[in-house]
Amino acid sequence: PRWHPPHGAVQIPVRYGPVPLVTSFLVRRYHRLGLQIHVWTVNDEAEMHRLYDLGIDALMSDEVGRLREVLTARGASWPAADGGGERP
């Protein structure tokens, strides 16, 4: 029987000491298992782009403004503050 994950996502740091945990192989593997990959805590803009280029689904950051800029540069849009539509 095929294993079905009990949750919809894994939440992991970029690395554990010197060991990288977020690699293209693991991203593909988790996605094949039907899991999203959420990475924490990423504050560097270049690292944010690198991780999204690998195919992660989400990341947590202490630098919310920087994360918003990265996501906007990657084509994300945001609801207007008054809830009346989207704005860049």
Side-chain angles (χ1 to χ4, degrees):
R2 182 172 163 85
W3 178 76
H4 295 284
H7 307 289
V10 292
Q11 296 184 340
I12 57 176
V14 175
R15 64 190 44 81
Y16 182 73
V19 179
L21 297 181
V22 183
T23 64
S24 59
F25 172 80
L26 288 178
V27 169
R28 287 191 311 271
R29 180 69 145 200
Y30 288 137
H31 282 161
R32 267 190 255 125
L33 291 171
L35 296 167
Q36 290 188 359
I37 299 97
H38 302 175
V39 182
W40 47 268
T41 300
V42 182
N43 295 322
D44 179 74
E45 180 177 343
E47 182 74 342
M48 291 175 183
H49 280 290
R50 183 187 78 78
L51 292 166
Y52 278 114
D53 288 344
L54 285 177
I56 68 160
D57 299 287
L59 65 80
M60 281 62 80
S61 177
D62 297 323
E63 301 293 335
V64 178
R66 183 173 300 144
L67 175 57
R68 185 180 179 113
E69 289 173 5
V70 166
L71 292 173
T72 299
R74 299 179 74 83
S77 59
W78 310 99
D82 64 3
E86 294 186 1
R87 64 177 182 193

